[in-house]
Amino acid sequence: QVRLVESGGGLVQAGGSLKLSCAISGRTFSLARMAWFRQAPGKEREFVARIYWNGGSTYYADSVKGRFTISRDNAKNTGYLEMNSLKPEDTAVYFCAVAPLGRSEFDYWGQGTQVTVSS
């Protein structure tokens, strides 16, 4: 029903910036929430940020608050994650996910994009 494709990952120095994109196709009219998660090698997946698709309200993990900004462009069916003041601890595979209307869980996930921050 919904397909997500992440892009924009890469290698940056500590203190640098990256902007990730999440292209969404399929039943976009049923989108309720979009979120970003990340997973480092050997570690569990962790929540990063989420946004309500219609209202635009946001919520962030404490570890990224003040440095990352989640946003979306409804016309382009694309979500974004702006990452500033990057730290080596931010190194991970970043995934976008979507929760449909009427669902509390994220049912759709992308393949992920690698972000590497050098010290």
Side-chain angles (χ1 to χ4, degrees):
Q1 291 190 18
V2 178
R3 182 163 57 193
L4 288 70
V5 180
E6 303 95 335
S7 62
L11 174 64
V12 297
Q13 291 183 321
S17 301
L18 278 177
K19 186 173 183 178
L20 307 183
S21 297
C22 177
I24 305 170
S25 61
R27 297 171 60 87
T28 56
F29 59 86
S30 65
L31 294 176
R33 295 175 293 142
M34 186 203 77
W36 289 93
F37 296 81
R38 66 187 183 185
Q39 187 168 28
K43 298 183 65 177
E44 294 183 330
R45 183 194 68 197
E46 66 174 337
F47 167 81
V48 176
R50 72 106 175 95
I51 186 170
Y52 283 99
W53 198 258
N54 292 327
S57 61
T58 59
Y59 179 77
Y60 298 90
D62 289 341
S63 60
V64 306
K65 194 174 301 180
R67 300 188 297 120
F68 290 12
T69 301
I70 187 171
S71 62
R72 83 282 191 256
D73 187 329
N74 291 2
K76 295 182 180 293
N77 297 132
T78 302
Y80 304 96
L81 183 68
E82 295 181 77
M83 304 182 295
N84 301 308
S85 301
L86 283 163
K87 306 174 181 179
E89 307 91 87
D90 297 318
T91 296
V93 177
Y94 284 71
F95 300 89
C96 62
V98 165
L101 289 170
R103 292 279 292 172
S104 60
E105 297 184 348
F106 293 92
D107 293 328
Y108 305 101
W109 294 77
Q111 293 292 314
T113 185
Q114 176 71 47
V115 172
T116 303
V117 184
S118 61
S119 59

